[in-house]
């Protein structure tokens, strides 16, 4: 036969393989017995064999040797690679850190708000963020000429096939009041937390998306005093029993009378500081007695029932609770910020 004796080659490989002690040697043996050069040398003489049967036999023997050499040296390599890896393991090093996720700070605050109001007997309602002009403005007694309806303040949604702009990204959570009053009979005692949208240029105190919690209480004999007591109890539950609230006369189309809600500054105890602009008070939201016109729209007898409502800012609470001074941080999804909560 040829110049290659595959049987003794195989034996030699086995013997050498059994004697090696390092990854280096394993790599060396791999090259020597199964490398490209070794294989070319071993198969080289095939073409010089003239006799077809002999040639076939040689080819077969070469194929078998090749498969063996590759597998044998592969296993050797793997074995020494594994050993090398184990030797480089330092079991005294600290383990790799497990990063667990957490709820977004706004979600955490919203959950806390919900807990407090649930404790006072309010149930939680939701409404769509793409809202009709009827629910967002008309039913809330907000006339066509009202500046809040301007294209520059409100994101209108252009629905295909409609010639009028009938849809908006809701500018407040107040439309949920209407949806609830249309379907439930008094007594009604609900809150509606959620996202709202306004076409504001982002800065430290404005973002085009933010969150509010709406509150609504309708029953016989509901008074402004109930509103004041409820809002005070809420802020005390959130910020501590020293908190005071103040209601300043204001105007909202859907309440009469209306008031803005201020809370005593938690940083200076209402003495005046940079955060409260030396006034001692922080603006927290709007409120008022539900305008009888709004009750009429939803078919609740405004002679028999009265109600109050409020809309409070969630980010405002979160910023005070966590000491965050830029509203945009809540919406930029920077993990360095979010992982602190
Ligand atoms: N919707 C008002 C706003 O976004 C806040 C508000 C004021 C809500 C008075 C109310 C309310 O329910 O009674 O500015």
């Amino acid at each position: 036969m040829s110049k290659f004796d595959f049987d003794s080659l195989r034996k030699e490989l086995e013997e050498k393989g059994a004697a090696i002690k390092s990854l280096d040697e394993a790599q060396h043996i791999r090259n020597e017995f199964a490398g490209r050069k070794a294989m070319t040398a071993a198969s080289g003489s095939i073409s010089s064999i003239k006799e077809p049967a002999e040639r076939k036999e040689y080819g077969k023997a070469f194929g078998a040797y090749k498969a063996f050499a590759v597998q044998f040296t592969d296993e050797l390599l793997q074995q020494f690679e594994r050993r090398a890896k184990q030797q480089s393991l330092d079991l005294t090093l600290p383990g790799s850190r497990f990063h667990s996720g957490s709820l977004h700070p706004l979600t955490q605050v919203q959950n806390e708000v919900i807990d407090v109001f649930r404790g006072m007997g309010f149930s939680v309602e939701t409404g769509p963020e793409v809202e009709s002009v009827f629910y967002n403005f008309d039913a809330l007694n907000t006339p066509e000429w009202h500046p809040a309806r301007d294209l520059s303040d409100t994101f209108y949604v252009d629905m295909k096939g409609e010639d009028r702009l009938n849809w908006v990204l809701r500018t407040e959570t107040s439309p949920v009041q209407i949806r609830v009053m249309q379907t439930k009979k008094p007594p009604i005692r609900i809150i509606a937390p959620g996202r709202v949208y306004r076409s504001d240029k982002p800065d430290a105190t404005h973002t085009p998306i933010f969150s509010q919690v709406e509150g609504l209480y309708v029953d016989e004999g509901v008074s402004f005093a109930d509103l004041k007591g409820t809002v005070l109890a809420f802020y005390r539950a959130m910020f501590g029993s020293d908190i005071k609230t103040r209601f300043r006369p204001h105007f909202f189309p859907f309440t009469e009378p209306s008031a803005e809600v201020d809370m005593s500054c938690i940083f200076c105890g209402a003495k005046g500081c940079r955060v409260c602009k030396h006034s001692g008070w922080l603006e927290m939201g709007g409120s008022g007695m539900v305008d009888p016109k709004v009750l009429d729209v939803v078919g609740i007898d405004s002679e028999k029932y009265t109600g109050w409502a409020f809309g409070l800012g969630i980010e405002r609470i979160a910023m005070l609770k966590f000491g965050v001074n830029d509203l945009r941080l809540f919406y930029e999804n920077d993990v360095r910020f979010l992982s602190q909560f």
Side-chain angles (χ1 to χ4, degrees):
M1 216 168 92
S2 61
K3 70 176 194 181
F4 268 96
D5 179 353
F6 290 118
D7 279 346
S8 47
L9 204 55
R10 196 177 164 135
K11 218 180 246 151
E12 192 188 338
L13 173 54
E14 278 171 338
E15 273 163 20
K16 280 196 173 167
I20 64 164
K21 291 198 174 56
S22 70
L23 182 58
D24 261 6
E25 284 177 293
Q27 265 150 358
H28 187 79
I29 280 208
R30 163 120 190 148
N31 280 342
E32 187 185 341
F33 286 86
R36 198 150 47 91
K37 249 188 177 160
M39 288 303 172
T40 330
S43 66
S45 40
I46 281 198
S47 52
S48 62
I49 302 171
K50 294 281 169 300
E51 167 60 39
E54 199 184 322
R55 199 158 135 180
K56 198 171 162 193
E57 203 184 323
Y58 182 88
K60 238 173 144 182
F62 169 67
Y65 168 74
K66 184 178 171 182
F68 167 77
V70 167
Q71 198 196 341
F72 185 85
T73 53
D74 262 0
E75 274 167 16
L76 270 182
L77 270 179
Q78 278 168 17
Q79 186 187 329
F80 280 94
E81 271 165 5
R82 235 178 291 139
R83 232 182 257 182
K85 223 184 249 166
Q86 273 164 5
Q87 279 159 3
S88 68
L89 261 191
D90 182 349
L91 296 177
T92 64
L93 284 174
S96 47
R97 226 170 109 183
F98 178 71
H99 289 277
S100 63
S102 61
L103 291 177
H104 190 281
L106 289 178
T107 309
Q108 291 180 28
V109 168
Q110 185 172 304
N111 288 346
E112 206 178 326
V113 168
I114 289 173
D115 270 358
V116 171
F117 280 112
R118 278 228 172 99
M120 293 196 274
F122 286 75
S123 59
V124 178
E125 297 284 343
T126 54
E129 289 178 23
V130 176
E131 186 55 282
S132 73
V133 164
F134 172 77
Y135 284 108
N136 198 83
F137 293 127
D138 297 332
L140 288 162
N141 196 35
T142 310
E144 293 273 0
W145 49 262
H146 196 281
R149 296 179 74 139
D150 278 0
L151 285 167
S152 58
D153 291 309
T154 299
F155 292 114
Y156 282 82
V157 181
D158 192 358
M159 294 286 186
K160 291 236 152 35
E162 290 186 2
D163 46 2
R164 256 194 82 204
L165 291 174
N166 285 325
W167 300 89
V168 296
L169 296 184
R170 67 177 180 191
T171 57
E172 50 193 3
T173 41
S174 306
V176 185
Q177 288 184 32
I178 305 296
R179 290 180 174 275
V180 169
M181 288 191 287
Q182 276 181 335
T183 53
K184 288 194 163 73
K185 297 222 157 358
I188 294 169
R189 190 159 36 186
I190 62 105
I191 56 162
R195 262 176 260 184
V196 300
Y197 303 84
R198 284 181 204 171
S199 179
D200 285 329
K201 216 169 142 235
D203 62 27
T205 54
H206 295 87
T207 43
I209 174 173
F210 57 101
S211 337
Q212 295 184 324
V213 57
E214 193 77 14
L216 175 70
Y217 180 27
V218 183
D219 200 358
E220 285 180 59
V222 169
S223 74
F224 203 99
D226 300 321
L227 168 65
K228 290 177 80 172
T230 305
V231 170
L232 179 63
F234 165 66
Y235 283 118
R236 286 194 168 165
M238 296 298 286
F239 291 103
S241 51
D242 296 339
I243 292 299
K244 295 187 198 57
T245 50
R246 175 173 87 168
F247 288 72
R248 264 181 304 110
H250 199 74
F251 173 81
F252 295 106
F254 35 89
T255 41
E256 185 55 40
S258 303
E260 277 201 312
V261 180
D262 293 347
M263 176 179 89
S264 53
C265 180
I266 58 167
F267 295 106
C268 61
K271 284 188 196 68
C273 68
R274 204 175 39 84
V275 179
C276 59
K277 298 194 191 91
H278 303 282
S279 71
W281 297 96
L282 301 162
E283 286 178 24
M284 304 301 287
S287 67
M289 298 302 293
V290 180
D291 194 307
K293 280 191 207 144
V294 174
L295 296 177
D296 292 343
V297 169
V298 294
I300 290 181
D301 183 353
S302 57
E303 294 292 323
K304 186 171 173 198
Y305 295 103
T306 51
W308 51 248
F310 59 71
L312 308 174
I314 302 245
E315 282 79 359
R316 187 67 159 141
I317 297 171
M319 287 169 91
L320 294 169
K321 261 200 171 306
F322 297 132
V324 172
N325 59 10
D326 193 323
L327 186 54
R328 289 168 292 192
L329 288 165
F330 289 122
Y331 290 99
E332 283 167 353
N333 276 340
D334 187 329
V335 177
R336 289 169 303 178
F337 172 74
L338 294 177
S339 61
Q340 298 174 66
F341 301 94

